[in-house]
Amino acid sequence: FQKTMMKRGAFIVLEGLDRSGKTTQAKKLADWLKSRGETVHLMRFPDRDEPFGKVIDAYLKKEIELASPQALHLAFSLNRWQKAGEIRSLISLGTYIVCDRYCYSGVAYSIASGLDEKWVKCADIGLPQPDIVLRFDVDTDVAAQRGGFGDERLECNELQKKVLIEMKKLTDERWKIVNANDSMEGVHNQRRKQEEMGKMEGEYSYDIEKMS
Ligand code: FDM
């Protein structure tokens, strides 16, 4: 009885290109929710500590090769499936999960890299669905001012442009677009204002049964 009375948490996903500031904003959002008394768990994908995430990390750092782009795609998906149970149980226990990247990065990056759209989407079917996806949009020139790419694979301008096109195709009514060209504080306040205006309310009260 007590369990059914427990307030459900929420699953909030942040998506966007490299240097859109989503990692910083994920932390700020988590702190802000904590300040409102919520229990918050910060997550990110790829989760480089999880076994499949270690393979991904080594691949991105060019320490190992993978035999095919399909293998890489499935590793990213497995990395999420390893966390699916934890996500479901945390939410049912009332925790707010703030997640930096999820299956939308998975789909967008893999399609942008040339994999078949239909095939790519299959691996993530059945993962816990987010209540809301915040897409951080940043202009390429603003992103460029924020610093260059590191040495990892997938960090290249040409790919980023294609990723953005694919990410936009995935956007539906559950998504909110955040203009990430602003300063760090400006972006945070913008997102907070959306929430205060009630745009995000209600979506937090979904039933756990609806998540699958
Ligand atoms: N990436 C991330 C993918 O290609 N597929 C995925 O499923 C995920 C979650 O991995 F270039 C890409 C996006 C990025 C790279 O991500 C590493 P971080 O956020 O920079 O660690």
Side-chain angles (χ1 to χ4, degrees):
F1 177 71
Q2 212 174 3
K3 203 170 176 194
T4 57
M5 292 296 287
M6 197 178 284
K7 181 172 147 288
R8 182 187 173 280
F11 185 20
I12 305 164
V13 166
L14 286 77
E15 286 284 4
L17 298 181
D18 284 334
R19 297 170 298 173
S20 61
K22 63 188 162 16
T23 305
T24 309
Q25 295 300 329
K27 287 187 193 122
K28 281 187 166 292
L29 175 56
D31 288 344
W32 181 71
L33 286 165
K34 274 183 209 158
S35 76
R36 301 213 319 184
E38 304 293 351
T39 310
V40 186
H41 185 83
L42 207 50
M43 266 192 181
R44 71 171 306 147
F45 290 106
D47 175 339
R48 299 182 190 224
D49 296 326
E50 182 283 327
F52 297 104
K54 288 189 178 139
V55 171
I56 295 168
D57 183 56
Y59 173 79
L60 291 174
K61 289 181 176 152
K62 301 172 189 165
E63 292 163 6
I64 60 164
E65 295 298 323
L66 289 174
S68 64
Q70 284 87 346
L72 176 66
H73 177 77
L74 292 176
F76 275 118
S77 184
L78 283 167
N79 188 225
R80 287 184 281 278
W81 278 107
Q82 286 281 88
K83 294 277 164 180
E86 186 185 337
I87 292 172
R88 285 205 184 88
S89 64
L90 282 171
I91 294 167
S92 69
L93 292 171
T95 301
Y96 278 64
I97 298 174
V98 177
C99 188
D100 182 357
R101 291 194 195 276
Y102 196 50
C103 54
Y104 312 101
S105 278
V107 168
Y109 275 82
S110 287
I111 296 175
S113 308
L115 290 183
D116 177 69
E117 179 175 343
K118 221 160 134 196
W119 184 86
V120 151
K121 287 181 175 169
C122 287
D124 289 318
I125 294 174
L127 280 175
Q129 297 262 335
D131 296 281
I132 187 164
V133 184
L134 302 172
R135 194 185 84 204
F136 288 76
D137 277 6
V138 64
D139 293 340
T140 38
D141 52 330
V142 177
Q145 282 166 20
R146 291 180 182 168
F149 287 116
D151 289 332
E152 289 205 336
R153 290 192 224 240
L154 307 183
E155 293 181 332
C156 90
N157 276 326
E158 214 45 52
L159 183 68
Q160 299 282 309
K161 278 184 207 151
K162 291 185 189 161
V163 169
L164 183 60
I165 292 169
E166 296 308 324
M167 197 78 89
K168 284 185 173 165
K169 287 190 206 159
L170 299 172
T171 303
D172 65 22
E173 67 284 347
R174 247 180 325 169
W175 291 49
K176 308 283 175 226
I177 315 302
V178 181
N179 177 351
N181 290 320
D182 214 340
S183 69
M184 215 164 74
E185 278 309 315
V187 174
H188 179 61
N189 289 335
Q190 191 191 142
R191 195 215 43 70
R192 222 171 72 184
K193 215 183 287 164
Q194 278 186 339
E195 182 146 345
E196 276 155 7
M197 276 155 52
K199 281 195 192 162
M200 287 163 80
E201 302 290 347
E203 288 162 74
Y204 287 170
S205 56
Y206 280 0
D207 248 312
I208 192 75
E209 277 73 34
K210 285 190 192 158
M211 310 232 323
S212 68

